[in-house]
Amino acid sequence: MTLHPRRYFPKALLLALLPLGCAPTPTVTISGPVNDLGSGEPLAGARVCLAGSNLCTDTDETGTFTLKDVEASTEQAIHIDLEGYLPGLVAFEAPEADMELAVISLGGDILMDLQMAILEVENKPGSGQVVFSISNGIFGDRINVSNISTELSPSGGSGPYYLNSNSLPDTELGETSTNGGGLFVNVPAGNHTLTHLGLSSGCTTILGWEGPEKLTIPVASERVTYARIECAVENVE
């Protein structure tokens, strides 16, 4: 029997054959303010959690939350909870760099009771609500976009109910008023699409996924999903 000499591989080749470790997943920090829908005052002590994870934090005395280690370049959502307020849900697209979300305005428990009473609709257990708004994108002026109609698919629930200038639903309205917003109630849980008809050019998604003409949003049981787009329209009185 012939013995073969021991074969040696170059060290560089051996290293190349070793399995490479996975690169760490890029993460970003997401922050933003949480305010009272009626007064605009900051809400301290609200619990903010990244959906589908154990990553949670509380808003500070200025109503601001900070969530670290959010996976970058992904579609994400956060839950917001505070006693006396409707549990909230906000979707956003995490970018490649740290980002501050637009203001999230929570409505109080009494607000939904008032709205349902006006609409004469009973709240269905296990369903969610959708509150949408279309603003002109000029910070601080609180002027919103009128004459926009909105559809929800897949169909389900009741609405849209557009809000009048007093921020109350008006069943006579067939499109947004100067309030620029509206709502759907008793919406089944799952992902839905808001289609905005009549948008001007230059609109962008603020709260939601994709969009702005077709805005994807998650709906969860016993939560209010807040969706928002902004359109650069002329600032008029």
Side-chain angles (χ1 to χ4, degrees):
M1 181 177 62
T2 304
L3 296 178
H4 295 281
R6 185 176 181 181
R7 294 189 175 96
Y8 293 90
F9 289 93
K11 182 181 294 186
L13 180 57
L14 285 174
L15 292 176
L17 294 175
L18 292 176
L20 297 177
C22 296
T25 302
T27 62
V28 293
T29 296
I30 303 296
S31 60
V34 179
N35 292 354
D36 179 278
L37 180 61
S39 67
E41 293 297 317
L43 295 176
R47 191 66 169 169
V48 180
C49 295
L50 191 71
S53 77
N54 295 321
L55 184 59
C56 294
T57 188
D58 296 326
T59 55
D60 62 18
E61 64 276 3
T62 69
T64 302
F65 71 88
T66 301
L67 284 172
K68 298 182 179 180
D69 299 324
V70 177
E71 186 176 348
S73 304
T74 56
E75 293 180 343
Q76 299 285 357
I78 53 176
H79 294 169
I80 311 104
D81 293 273
L82 181 63
E83 184 176 357
Y85 288 84
L86 299 167
L89 174 59
V90 169
F92 63 95
E93 295 188 8
E96 295 180 354
D98 295 349
M99 178 181 71
E100 180 176 344
L101 291 180
V103 175
I104 301 170
S105 299
L106 293 186
D109 293 335
I110 191 172
L111 176 62
M112 183 56 69
D113 293 338
L114 176 60
Q115 290 177 339
M116 299 298 271
I118 292 174
L119 296 173
E120 298 182 347
V121 175
E122 292 186 3
N123 184 38
K124 293 182 179 180
S127 64
Q129 321 295 345
V130 175
V131 173
F132 61 89
S133 63
I134 306 164
S135 76
N136 68 357
I138 302 174
F139 179 77
D141 62 16
R142 300 180 67 84
I143 296 175
N144 299 308
V145 179
S146 58
N147 305 317
I148 304 297
S149 58
T150 302
E151 300 173 349
L152 183 71
S153 60
S155 60
S158 301
Y161 301 109
Y162 299 100
L163 305 182
N164 59 27
S165 57
N166 294 318
S167 299
L168 295 175
D170 187 336
T171 57
E172 298 299 318
L173 292 174
E175 56 189 15
T176 57
S177 68
T178 53
N179 175 278
L183 69 155
F184 292 84
V185 300
N186 294 329
V187 180
N191 288 348
H192 295 261
T193 299
L194 284 174
T195 301
H196 299 296
L197 305 176
L199 292 180
S200 62
S201 60
C203 300
T204 57
T205 297
I206 303 300
L207 298 176
W209 299 323
E210 302 177 352
E213 289 85 359
K214 291 184 178 296
L215 187 68
T216 303
I217 54 170
V219 175
S221 173
E222 311 301 337
R223 287 191 177 273
V224 177
T225 297
Y226 295 94
R228 179 181 170 190
I229 67 172
E230 289 185 349
C231 299
V233 300
E234 183 179 1
N235 183 359
V236 294
E237 297 296 334

